[in-house]
PDB file of all heavy atoms in Angstrom:
ATOM      1  N   GLU A 111       6.011  -7.374   8.183  1.00 96.00           N
ATOM      2  CA  GLU A 111       6.401  -8.780   8.212  1.00 96.00           C
ATOM      3  C   GLU A 111       6.179  -9.417   6.847  1.00 96.00           C
ATOM      4  O   GLU A 111       5.962 -10.615   6.731  1.00 96.00           O
ATOM      5  CB  GLU A 111       5.569  -9.523   9.263  1.00 96.00           C
ATOM      6  CG  GLU A 111       5.719  -8.967  10.649  1.00 96.00           C
ATOM      7  CD  GLU A 111       4.700  -9.547  11.638  1.00 96.00           C
ATOM      8  OE1 GLU A 111       3.636 -10.050  11.205  1.00 96.00           O
ATOM      9  OE2 GLU A 111       4.967  -9.476  12.840  1.00 96.00           O
ATOM     10  N   GLY A 112       6.227  -8.598   5.800  1.00 95.00           N
ATOM     11  CA  GLY A 112       5.878  -9.046   4.464  1.00 95.00           C
ATOM     12  C   GLY A 112       6.955  -9.816   3.743  1.00 95.00           C
ATOM     13  O   GLY A 112       7.923 -10.305   4.338  1.00 95.00           O
ATOM     14  N   ALA A 113       6.791  -9.878   2.430  1.00 92.00           N
ATOM     15  CA  ALA A 113       7.648 -10.688   1.565  1.00 92.00           C
ATOM     16  C   ALA A 113       9.083 -10.190   1.501  1.00 92.00           C
ATOM     17  O   ALA A 113       9.995 -10.952   1.211  1.00 92.00           O
ATOM     18  CB  ALA A 113       7.058 -10.714   0.152  1.00 92.00           C
ATOM     19  N   GLY A 114       9.308  -8.925   1.767  1.00 95.00           N
ATOM     20  CA  GLY A 114      10.649  -8.363   1.657  1.00 95.00           C
ATOM     21  C   GLY A 114      11.022  -8.131   0.197  1.00 95.00           C
ATOM     22  O   GLY A 114      10.267  -8.456  -0.718  1.00 95.00           O
ATOM     23  N   MET A 115      12.191  -7.545  -0.010  1.00 95.00           N
ATOM     24  CA  MET A 115      12.652  -7.222  -1.362  1.00 95.00           C
ATOM     25  C   MET A 115      13.991  -7.882  -1.642  1.00 95.00           C
ATOM     26  O   MET A 115      14.831  -7.980  -0.741  1.00 95.00           O
ATOM     27  CB  MET A 115      12.823  -5.703  -1.511  1.00 95.00           C
ATOM     28  CG  MET A 115      11.538  -4.920  -1.464  1.00 95.00           C
ATOM     29  SD  MET A 115      11.824  -3.152  -1.731  1.00 95.00           S
ATOM     30  CE  MET A 115      11.950  -2.568  -0.055  1.00 95.00           C
ATOM     31  N   SER A 116      14.164  -8.257  -2.884  1.00 94.00           N
ATOM     32  CA  SER A 116      15.458  -8.769  -3.323  1.00 94.00           C
ATOM     33  C   SER A 116      16.444  -7.610  -3.365  1.00 94.00           C
ATOM     34  O   SER A 116      16.043  -6.439  -3.407  1.00 94.00           O
ATOM     35  CB  SER A 116      15.337  -9.376  -4.722  1.00 94.00           C
ATOM     36  OG  SER A 116      15.095  -8.338  -5.668  1.00 94.00           O
ATOM     37  N   PRO A 117      17.744  -7.884  -3.381  1.00 95.00           N
ATOM     38  CA  PRO A 117      18.721  -6.796  -3.491  1.00 95.00           C
ATOM     39  C   PRO A 117      18.501  -5.937  -4.746  1.00 95.00           C
ATOM     40  O   PRO A 117      18.672  -4.721  -4.701  1.00 95.00           O
ATOM     41  CB  PRO A 117      20.072  -7.519  -3.539  1.00 95.00           C
ATOM     42  CG  PRO A 117      19.825  -8.805  -2.821  1.00 95.00           C
ATOM     43  CD  PRO A 117      18.410  -9.184  -3.147  1.00 95.00           C
ATOM     44  N   GLU A 118      18.078  -6.565  -5.837  1.00 94.00           N
ATOM     45  CA  GLU A 118      17.841  -5.816  -7.076  1.00 94.00           C
ATOM     46  C   GLU A 118      16.661  -4.863  -6.927  1.00 94.00           C
ATOM     47  O   GLU A 118      16.720  -3.708  -7.356  1.00 94.00           O
ATOM     48  CB  GLU A 118      17.585  -6.788  -8.248  1.00 94.00           C
ATOM     49  CG  GLU A 118      18.758  -7.686  -8.578  1.00 94.00           C
ATOM     50  CD  GLU A 118      18.894  -8.895  -7.642  1.00 94.00           C
ATOM     51  OE1 GLU A 118      17.920  -9.295  -6.978  1.00 94.00           O
ATOM     52  OE2 GLU A 118      20.028  -9.419  -7.564  1.00 94.00           O
ATOM     53  N   THR A 119      15.591  -5.337  -6.310  1.00 91.00           N
ATOM     54  CA  THR A 119      14.415  -4.482  -6.084  1.00 91.00           C
ATOM     55  C   THR A 119      14.750  -3.388  -5.088  1.00 91.00           C
ATOM     56  O   THR A 119      14.384  -2.228  -5.288  1.00 91.00           O
ATOM     57  CB  THR A 119      13.229  -5.326  -5.583  1.00 91.00           C
ATOM     58  OG1 THR A 119      12.900  -6.301  -6.578  1.00 91.00           O
ATOM     59  CG2 THR A 119      12.017  -4.459  -5.289  1.00 91.00           C
ATOM     60  N   LEU A 120      15.466  -3.733  -4.032  1.00 92.00           N
ATOM     61  CA  LEU A 120      15.851  -2.755  -3.017  1.00 92.00           C
ATOM     62  C   LEU A 120      16.666  -1.623  -3.639  1.00 92.00           C
ATOM     63  O   LEU A 120      16.486  -0.450  -3.294  1.00 92.00           O
ATOM     64  CB  LEU A 120      16.636  -3.436  -1.904  1.00 92.00           C
ATOM     65  CG  LEU A 120      17.030  -2.588  -0.698  1.00 92.00           C
ATOM     66  CD1 LEU A 120      15.807  -1.998  -0.013  1.00 92.00           C
ATOM     67  CD2 LEU A 120      17.822  -3.425   0.300  1.00 92.00           C
ATOM     68  N   ALA A 121      17.531  -1.954  -4.585  1.00 93.00           N
ATOM     69  CA  ALA A 121      18.371  -0.944  -5.234  1.00 93.00           C
ATOM     70  C   ALA A 121      17.548   0.040  -6.061  1.00 93.00           C
ATOM     71  O   ALA A 121      17.973   1.183  -6.266  1.00 93.00           O
ATOM     72  CB  ALA A 121      19.411  -1.620  -6.129  1.00 93.00           C
ATOM     73  N   ARG A 122      16.365  -0.365  -6.509  1.00 90.00           N
ATOM     74  CA  ARG A 122      15.554   0.498  -7.382  1.00 90.00           C
ATOM     75  C   ARG A 122      14.271   1.016  -6.742  1.00 90.00           C
ATOM     76  O   ARG A 122      13.569   1.822  -7.350  1.00 90.00           O
ATOM     77  CB  ARG A 122      15.173  -0.286  -8.647  1.00 90.00           C
ATOM     78  CG  ARG A 122      16.353  -0.709  -9.481  1.00 90.00           C
ATOM     79  CD  ARG A 122      15.930  -1.212 -10.836  1.00 90.00           C
ATOM     80  NE  ARG A 122      15.202  -0.176 -11.561  1.00 90.00           N
ATOM     81  CZ  ARG A 122      14.343  -0.445 -12.543  1.00 90.00           C
ATOM     82  NH1 ARG A 122      14.101  -1.682 -12.914  1.00 90.00           N
ATOM     83  NH2 ARG A 122      13.717   0.549 -13.161  1.00 90.00           N
ATOM     84  N   CYS A 123      13.947   0.590  -5.541  1.00 91.00           N
ATOM     85  CA  CYS A 123      12.615   0.835  -4.967  1.00 91.00           C
ATOM     86  C   CYS A 123      12.253   2.304  -4.789  1.00 91.00           C
ATOM     87  O   CYS A 123      11.072   2.634  -4.726  1.00 91.00           O
ATOM     88  CB  CYS A 123      12.454   0.074  -3.656  1.00 91.00           C
ATOM     89  SG  CYS A 123      13.454   0.697  -2.287  1.00 91.00           S
ATOM     90  N   GLN A 124      13.231   3.203  -4.738  1.00 90.00           N
ATOM     91  CA  GLN A 124      12.919   4.623  -4.556  1.00 90.00           C
ATOM     92  C   GLN A 124      12.828   5.383  -5.879  1.00 90.00           C
ATOM     93  O   GLN A 124      12.561   6.580  -5.883  1.00 90.00           O
ATOM     94  CB  GLN A 124      13.966   5.274  -3.661  1.00 90.00           C
ATOM     95  CG  GLN A 124      13.989   4.713  -2.256  1.00 90.00           C
ATOM     96  CD  GLN A 124      15.027   5.381  -1.401  1.00 90.00           C
ATOM     97  OE1 GLN A 124      15.014   6.591  -1.238  1.00 90.00           O
ATOM     98  NE2 GLN A 124      15.941   4.595  -0.855  1.00 90.00           N
ATOM     99  N   GLU A 125      13.031   4.694  -6.987  1.00 87.00           N
ATOM    100  CA  GLU A 125      12.945   5.343  -8.296  1.00 87.00           C
ATOM    101  C   GLU A 125      11.490   5.653  -8.627  1.00 87.00           C
ATOM    102  O   GLU A 125      10.614   4.811  -8.422  1.00 87.00           O
ATOM    103  CB  GLU A 125      13.486   4.418  -9.390  1.00 87.00           C
ATOM    104  CG  GLU A 125      14.946   4.121  -9.315  1.00 87.00           C
ATOM    105  CD  GLU A 125      15.384   3.128 -10.394  1.00 87.00           C
ATOM    106  OE1 GLU A 125      14.628   2.893 -11.368  1.00 87.00           O
ATOM    107  OE2 GLU A 125      16.498   2.592 -10.245  1.00 87.00           O
ATOM    108  N   PRO A 126      11.229   6.847  -9.156  1.00 88.00           N
ATOM    109  CA  PRO A 126       9.859   7.149  -9.586  1.00 88.00           C
ATOM    110  C   PRO A 126       9.397   6.165 -10.660  1.00 88.00           C
ATOM    111  O   PRO A 126      10.160   5.813 -11.561  1.00 88.00           O
ATOM    112  CB  PRO A 126       9.960   8.560 -10.170  1.00 88.00           C
ATOM    113  CG  PRO A 126      11.206   9.134  -9.567  1.00 88.00           C
ATOM    114  CD  PRO A 126      12.130   7.969  -9.349  1.00 88.00           C
ATOM    115  N   PHE A 127       8.178   5.699 -10.524  1.00 87.00           N
ATOM    116  CA  PHE A 127       7.496   4.814 -11.459  1.00 87.00           C
ATOM    117  C   PHE A 127       8.009   3.371 -11.442  1.00 87.00           C
ATOM    118  O   PHE A 127       7.558   2.555 -12.227  1.00 87.00           O
ATOM    119  CB  PHE A 127       7.495   5.378 -12.889  1.00 87.00           C
ATOM    120  CG  PHE A 127       6.941   6.763 -12.955  1.00 87.00           C
ATOM    121  CD1 PHE A 127       7.761   7.849 -13.217  1.00 87.00           C
ATOM    122  CD2 PHE A 127       5.594   6.998 -12.705  1.00 87.00           C
ATOM    123  CE1 PHE A 127       7.257   9.134 -13.251  1.00 87.00           C
ATOM    124  CE2 PHE A 127       5.073   8.274 -12.732  1.00 87.00           C
ATOM    125  CZ  PHE A 127       5.901   9.346 -13.014  1.00 87.00           C
ATOM    126  N   PHE A 128       8.933   3.035 -10.551  1.00 85.00           N
ATOM    127  CA  PHE A 128       9.349   1.644 -10.409  1.00 85.00           C
ATOM    128  C   PHE A 128       8.379   0.959  -9.460  1.00 85.00           C
ATOM    129  O   PHE A 128       8.139   1.426  -8.352  1.00 85.00           O
ATOM    130  CB  PHE A 128      10.778   1.533  -9.850  1.00 85.00           C
ATOM    131  CG  PHE A 128      11.177   0.102  -9.588  1.00 85.00           C
ATOM    132  CD1 PHE A 128      11.573  -0.711 -10.640  1.00 85.00           C
ATOM    133  CD2 PHE A 128      11.124  -0.433  -8.313  1.00 85.00           C
ATOM    134  CE1 PHE A 128      11.925  -2.040 -10.418  1.00 85.00           C
ATOM    135  CE2 PHE A 128      11.478  -1.752  -8.075  1.00 85.00           C
ATOM    136  CZ  PHE A 128      11.874  -2.556  -9.137  1.00 85.00           C
ATOM    137  N   THR A 129       7.800  -0.138  -9.907  1.00 83.00           N
ATOM    138  CA  THR A 129       6.880  -0.889  -9.058  1.00 83.00           C
ATOM    139  C   THR A 129       7.018  -2.377  -9.343  1.00 83.00           C
ATOM    140  O   THR A 129       7.371  -2.772 -10.449  1.00 83.00           O
ATOM    141  CB  THR A 129       5.412  -0.439  -9.254  1.00 83.00           C
ATOM    142  OG1 THR A 129       4.582  -1.154  -8.332  1.00 83.00           O
ATOM    143  CG2 THR A 129       4.918  -0.664 -10.674  1.00 83.00           C
ATOM    144  N   THR A 130       6.736  -3.164  -8.342  1.00 81.00           N
ATOM    145  CA  THR A 130       6.693  -4.616  -8.507  1.00 81.00           C
ATOM    146  C   THR A 130       5.247  -5.095  -8.534  1.00 81.00           C
ATOM    147  O   THR A 130       5.002  -6.284  -8.666  1.00 81.00           O
ATOM    148  CB  THR A 130       7.433  -5.315  -7.349  1.00 81.00           C
ATOM    149  OG1 THR A 130       6.823  -4.929  -6.114  1.00 81.00           O
ATOM    150  CG2 THR A 130       8.909  -4.951  -7.341  1.00 81.00           C
ATOM    151  N   LYS A 131       4.311  -4.165  -8.424  1.00 80.00           N
ATOM    152  CA  LYS A 131       2.890  -4.519  -8.410  1.00 80.00           C
ATOM    153  C   LYS A 131       2.399  -4.744  -9.839  1.00 80.00           C
ATOM    154  O   LYS A 131       2.926  -4.146 -10.790  1.00 80.00           O
ATOM    155  CB  LYS A 131       2.084  -3.414  -7.730  1.00 80.00           C
ATOM    156  CG  LYS A 131       2.448  -3.245  -6.259  1.00 80.00           C
ATOM    157  CD  LYS A 131       1.724  -2.086  -5.615  1.00 80.00           C
ATOM    158  CE  LYS A 131       2.220  -1.872  -4.195  1.00 80.00           C
ATOM    159  NZ  LYS A 131       1.643  -0.677  -3.580  1.00 80.00           N
ATOM    160  N   PRO A 132       1.362  -5.567  -9.995  1.00 76.00           N
ATOM    161  CA  PRO A 132       0.808  -5.797 -11.330  1.00 76.00           C
ATOM    162  C   PRO A 132       0.240  -4.501 -11.923  1.00 76.00           C
ATOM    163  O   PRO A 132      -0.109  -3.573 -11.177  1.00 76.00           O
ATOM    164  CB  PRO A 132      -0.316  -6.803 -11.084  1.00 76.00           C
ATOM    165  CG  PRO A 132      -0.064  -7.382  -9.738  1.00 76.00           C
ATOM    166  CD  PRO A 132       0.711  -6.353  -8.970  1.00 76.00           C
ATOM    167  N   PRO A 133       0.145  -4.427 -13.252  1.00 78.00           N
ATOM    168  CA  PRO A 133      -0.421  -3.234 -13.891  1.00 78.00           C
ATOM    169  C   PRO A 133      -1.789  -2.882 -13.301  1.00 78.00           C
ATOM    170  O   PRO A 133      -2.611  -3.758 -13.057  1.00 78.00           O
ATOM    171  CB  PRO A 133      -0.545  -3.643 -15.366  1.00 78.00           C
ATOM    172  CG  PRO A 133       0.497  -4.708 -15.542  1.00 78.00           C
ATOM    173  CD  PRO A 133       0.542  -5.435 -14.222  1.00 78.00           C
ATOM    174  N   GLY A 134      -1.974  -1.595 -13.058  1.00 75.00           N
ATOM    175  CA  GLY A 134      -3.230  -1.104 -12.506  1.00 75.00           C
ATOM    176  C   GLY A 134      -3.297  -1.121 -10.992  1.00 75.00           C
ATOM    177  O   GLY A 134      -4.231  -0.581 -10.410  1.00 75.00           O
ATOM    178  N   LEU A 135      -2.323  -1.722 -10.324  1.00 77.00           N
ATOM    179  CA  LEU A 135      -2.358  -1.792  -8.863  1.00 77.00           C
ATOM    180  C   LEU A 135      -1.318  -0.928  -8.179  1.00 77.00           C
ATOM    181  O   LEU A 135      -1.318  -0.808  -6.972  1.00 77.00           O
ATOM    182  CB  LEU A 135      -2.205  -3.246  -8.403  1.00 77.00           C
ATOM    183  CG  LEU A 135      -3.345  -4.178  -8.763  1.00 77.00           C
ATOM    184  CD1 LEU A 135      -3.077  -5.574  -8.223  1.00 77.00           C
ATOM    185  CD2 LEU A 135      -4.671  -3.657  -8.224  1.00 77.00           C
ATOM    186  N   GLY A 136      -0.414  -0.338  -8.927  1.00 76.00           N
ATOM    187  CA  GLY A 136       0.605   0.505  -8.316  1.00 76.00           C
ATOM    188  C   GLY A 136       1.199   1.449  -9.336  1.00 76.00           C
ATOM    189  O   GLY A 136       1.352   1.104 -10.509  1.00 76.00           O
ATOM    190  N   THR A 137       1.518   2.648  -8.881  1.00 80.00           N
ATOM    191  CA  THR A 137       2.097   3.655  -9.780  1.00 80.00           C
ATOM    192  C   THR A 137       3.601   3.729  -9.687  1.00 80.00           C
ATOM    193  O   THR A 137       4.251   4.291 -10.552  1.00 80.00           O
ATOM    194  CB  THR A 137       1.555   5.052  -9.436  1.00 80.00           C
ATOM    195  OG1 THR A 137       1.931   5.371  -8.094  1.00 80.00           O
ATOM    196  CG2 THR A 137       0.037   5.108  -9.587  1.00 80.00           C
ATOM    197  N   GLY A 138       4.158   3.216  -8.599  1.00 78.00           N
ATOM    198  CA  GLY A 138       5.592   3.344  -8.390  1.00 78.00           C
ATOM    199  C   GLY A 138       5.983   4.713  -7.861  1.00 78.00           C
ATOM    200  O   GLY A 138       7.139   5.103  -7.929  1.00 78.00           O
ATOM    201  N   LEU A 139       5.016   5.431  -7.302  1.00 86.00           N
ATOM    202  CA  LEU A 139       5.308   6.768  -6.773  1.00 86.00           C
ATOM    203  C   LEU A 139       5.364   6.810  -5.249  1.00 86.00           C
ATOM    204  O   LEU A 139       5.777   7.817  -4.685  1.00 86.00           O
ATOM    205  CB  LEU A 139       4.276   7.777  -7.276  1.00 86.00           C
ATOM    206  CG  LEU A 139       4.348   8.063  -8.765  1.00 86.00           C
ATOM    207  CD1 LEU A 139       3.200   8.968  -9.186  1.00 86.00           C
ATOM    208  CD2 LEU A 139       5.680   8.693  -9.124  1.00 86.00           C
ATOM    209  N   GLY A 140       4.979   5.740  -4.569  1.00 88.00           N
ATOM    210  CA  GLY A 140       4.915   5.753  -3.107  1.00 88.00           C
ATOM    211  C   GLY A 140       6.234   6.078  -2.435  1.00 88.00           C
ATOM    212  O   GLY A 140       6.359   7.090  -1.744  1.00 88.00           O
TER     213      GLY A 140
END
Side-chain angles (χ1 to χ4, degrees):
E111 301 170 338
M115 292 183 266
S116 69
E118 297 80 21
T119 299
L120 185 59
R122 298 192 59 203
C123 70
Q124 296 180 57
E125 294 177 15
F127 306 110
F128 175 79
T129 184
T130 58
K131 296 176 186 174
L135 294 181
T137 61
L139 292 174

